Amino acid sequence: MAAPRSVTRPPGASPPAAPRLLLLLLLLPPAPAAAMAHRRPRSQSGAWSPDVACGHRYIQGKILGGADALERRWPWQVSVHYGGFHVCGGSIIDEYWVLSAAHCFNRDKNMEAFDIYVGLVDLRFAGNHTQWFEVNKVIVHPTYEVYHPVGGDVALVQLKSRIVFSDSVLPVCIASPDVNLHNATCWSTGWGLVSPQGHVPNKLQEVQIPLISLPLCRLLYGHLSYIMPDMLCAGDIRDMRTVCEGDSGGPLVCEFNHTWLQVGIVSWGRGCVYPMYPAVYARVSYFSKWIRYHMEHTPPPSQPLPALARVLGVSVSVLAALLAVLPML
């Protein structure tokens, strides 16, 4: 029997087209996935997560303002911690995004010192549904402090990892530019001071407060330029109920047809010492297009290094095997 002959290519001959094409396909990322990786479609209900509808909760009933909030009553509530302490509130608007006030993330602060907690009712204890997150990116509205000392007081906080939704952790809907707030029932929530003496509550507080028109709010503050169109006023002047220090960044939400919309972000005011002045919020409907734009166009957080290393390891192994086989083809 004749000895098997080795198959050799003439000098300078290129490898067959099929292995080269296979190698090229392995090295190139899929075009549609690469182009659409950071864009998620928005559902008809307004939720930014494809599986969870925003603005719905699994507990009903009403509690008088100023009382402790029940667990699951405000599932979108966020506690922003800095250096291990609660400093501001916020709201869940997507599986990667939290809405808060820009002044909570001043430029002189170290972004790595922030921690975001969801599913939290009592600041002393983590509940069964409490989740902790690191901050990946903070996007502050470009008009912040430009036309007003606290104007444009809106911040989008992107988390490093995904929020796991449950009946205690859910997103709130964002008010659209054409929302009608006439006769709306609205609530403000947070862990701010509950008395002028400086008593800080451990449990999440809630208060039902009426909205106040901009002309009346300007009249109460005594200067027309204090209250701008991107702001919203709310407070119970008769019963002296308002938000206080520590509530900043927290949501003002209103119920429309059994769906909760966030209409305001706690921004500034005279505080508990002067409850006859309404609290001033950043008007969410004014910033809704900006919010949606950045949620759609901001790339997602990068993959954790261990997971990325495993993927790269597999790719390198496949590539090495192909390179070893090519000379024999």
Side-chain angles (χ1 to χ4, degrees):
M1 179 182 294
R5 293 180 298 171
S6 61
V7 180
T8 59
R9 288 192 299 269
S14 59
R20 284 189 296 166
L21 180 59
L22 179 60
L23 180 60
L24 182 61
L25 290 175
L26 283 172
L27 292 177
L28 290 176
M36 299 298 294
H38 62 277
R39 302 187 68 177
R40 292 190 298 277
R42 181 161 53 96
S43 69
Q44 295 297 322
S45 65
W48 289 92
S49 171
D51 301 321
V52 177
C54 64
H56 295 277
R57 60 185 188 181
Y58 293 91
I59 186 170
Q60 300 298 329
K62 293 184 178 180
I63 298 178
L64 294 178
D68 294 346
L70 297 176
E71 187 176 0
R72 297 189 300 168
R73 184 166 169 82
W74 310 109
W76 40 79
Q77 181 70 42
V78 169
S79 173
V80 178
H81 285 227
Y82 185 77
F85 296 94
H86 170 83
V87 292
C88 279
S91 57
I92 303 170
I93 56 174
D94 179 66
E95 56 195 353
Y96 278 108
W97 291 96
V98 164
L99 188 62
S100 188
H103 75 263
C104 295
F105 301 88
N106 284 334
R107 300 175 183 87
D108 59 343
K109 292 185 176 179
N110 178 14
M111 291 299 126
E112 295 183 356
F114 281 102
D115 296 298
I116 306 296
Y117 289 88
V118 303
L120 189 64
V121 175
D122 194 321
L123 293 177
R124 298 168 297 180
F125 311 107
N128 294 331
H129 301 280
T130 302
Q131 301 173 49
W132 163 78
F133 298 93
E134 294 179 297
V135 172
N136 184 63
K137 178 183 293 186
V138 177
I139 305 175
V140 173
H141 196 270
T143 63
Y144 175 55
E145 294 183 328
V146 174
Y147 306 109
H148 187 282
V150 205
D153 195 12
V154 179
L156 271 171
V157 182
Q158 187 186 52
L159 308 178
K160 285 188 176 181
S161 54
R162 186 193 309 266
I163 296 174
V164 178
F165 292 139
S166 67
D167 57 356
S168 298
V169 179
L170 292 168
V172 67
C173 296
I174 296 299
S176 61
D178 59 350
V179 64
N180 184 359
L181 299 179
H182 183 65
N183 292 330
T185 300
C186 304
W187 292 75
S188 191
T189 52
W191 287 274
L193 303 179
V194 295
S195 69
Q197 289 72 33
H199 173 63
V200 180
N202 290 310
K203 292 186 177 181
L204 179 65
Q205 301 292 297
E206 60 179 13
V207 58
Q208 183 177 4
I209 49 179
L211 302 180
I212 296 177
S213 66
L214 287 185
L216 177 57
C217 192
R218 288 167 176 157
L219 181 64
L220 291 171
Y221 273 95
H223 200 290
L224 296 180
S225 63
Y226 277 7
I227 312 298
M228 300 185 67
D230 65 348
M231 299 175 184
L232 180 72
C233 297
D236 194 332
I237 302 174
R238 183 181 60 184
D239 294 333
M240 301 294 182
R241 291 186 297 183
T242 185
V243 297
C244 302
E245 292 82 359
D247 288 321
S248 291
L252 175 68
V253 296
C254 306
E255 188 177 19
F256 296 89
N257 298 322
H258 306 292
T259 298
W260 289 88
L261 302 183
Q262 182 171 354
V263 301
I265 304 167
V266 179
S267 180
W268 63 278
R270 295 290 175 87
C272 292
V273 180
Y274 303 102
M276 69 288 298
Y277 289 94
V280 183
Y281 300 76
R283 186 184 292 267
V284 171
S285 60
Y286 187 93
F287 300 99
S288 62
K289 291 183 179 179
W290 176 84
I291 293 170
R292 296 185 189 280
Y293 175 85
H294 284 283
M295 288 174 63
E296 286 186 337
H297 293 84
T298 302
S302 58
Q303 290 285 336
L305 188 58
L308 183 60
R310 286 196 297 270
V311 173
L312 289 177
V314 172
S315 300
V316 170
S317 300
V318 173
L319 181 59
L322 282 173
L323 291 176
V325 172
L326 283 178
M328 296 184 295
L329 297 178

